[in-house]
Amino acid sequence: MKAAVGDRLIIESLHLDGPRRKGVITALHHSDGSPPYVVRWLDEEHETLIFPGPDAHVEPRRERRKEEEARPAAR
């Protein structure tokens, strides 16, 4: 797993109907983008150091921008 500052870290729920955890990577401990990451969780507004497990994936910042640009503007 590789990431950059500004990417989102998403951790899937272990339960079928459980919520996902979403956070923004705010710092890296390795220049190659490998874990651990400092993540600011969007639902709790605090930061933690995390070694992501197999239930986690990274959503690159540039992909989110493309999705946001493709959405029609809300009025």
Side-chain angles (χ1 to χ4, degrees), residues 4-56:
V5 171
D7 290 350
R8 274 205 181 144
L9 181 68
I10 300 172
I11 300 178
E12 300 297 338
S13 173
L14 296 176
H15 304 286
L16 183 60
D17 58 348
R20 300 168 126 185
R21 288 200 75 196
K22 296 180 184 179
V24 176
I25 296 171
T26 60
L28 302 174
H29 283 257
H30 301 286
S31 60
D32 68 351
S34 62
Y37 307 124
V38 176
V39 176
R40 180 178 45 83
W41 298 107
L42 301 178
D43 59 345
E44 298 179 10
E45 293 296 326
H46 75 276
E47 289 187 344
T48 58
L49 178 68
I50 186 169
F51 288 84
D55 55 342

